[in-house]
Amino acid sequence: MPTPQQLDAFTLAFHRQAIARMQEQPQLVEQASQTLKRWETQRGATASDPYLQRWKMLLAQGCDEIAAQVCQDSAEAATLRNVSPLGFVLSTAERQTLRQRVMH
């Protein structure tokens, strides 16, 4: 079972790669915004709402700001990574490869 540090290393690496992809394919930013809207509609209010609101603001500000806020070494950045709407950006195979590389 992975340690919390390994999981954090994976989510950080995932987000760095996902943000790089979003910089190459700006339409992914809009898809992430749509994901947040869908979550709001389907889930209703949750304890993660403040972080989802933060994601909305970050997506509106662009990839450089997303990277600056989400890829730092802080508790808030780690929480943002854990409630991230970017899970769709990388394929399952890419996630598995990244997980193996980072966690072993």
Side-chain angles (χ1 to χ4, degrees), residues 28-44:
L28 295 174
V29 174
E30 179 57 30
Q31 285 181 260
S33 294
Q34 292 301 319
T35 296
L36 287 174
K37 287 178 187 174
R38 188 177 67 250
W39 288 354
E40 281 181 337
T41 302
Q42 292 175 348
R43 297 186 342 191

Side-chain angles (χ1 to χ4, degrees), residues 24-62:
E24 296 168 359
Q25 300 175 32
Q27 72 275 14
L28 295 174
V29 174
E30 179 57 30
Q31 285 181 260
S33 294
Q34 292 301 319
T35 296
L36 287 174
K37 287 178 187 174
R38 188 177 67 250
W39 288 354
E40 281 181 337
T41 302
Q42 292 175 348
R43 297 186 342 191
T46 69
S48 60
D49 283 354
Y51 295 101
L52 299 180
Q53 291 301 319
R54 184 81 173 111
W55 267 108
K56 279 186 187 179
M57 292 180 357
L58 291 171
L59 290 166
Q61 294 172 351

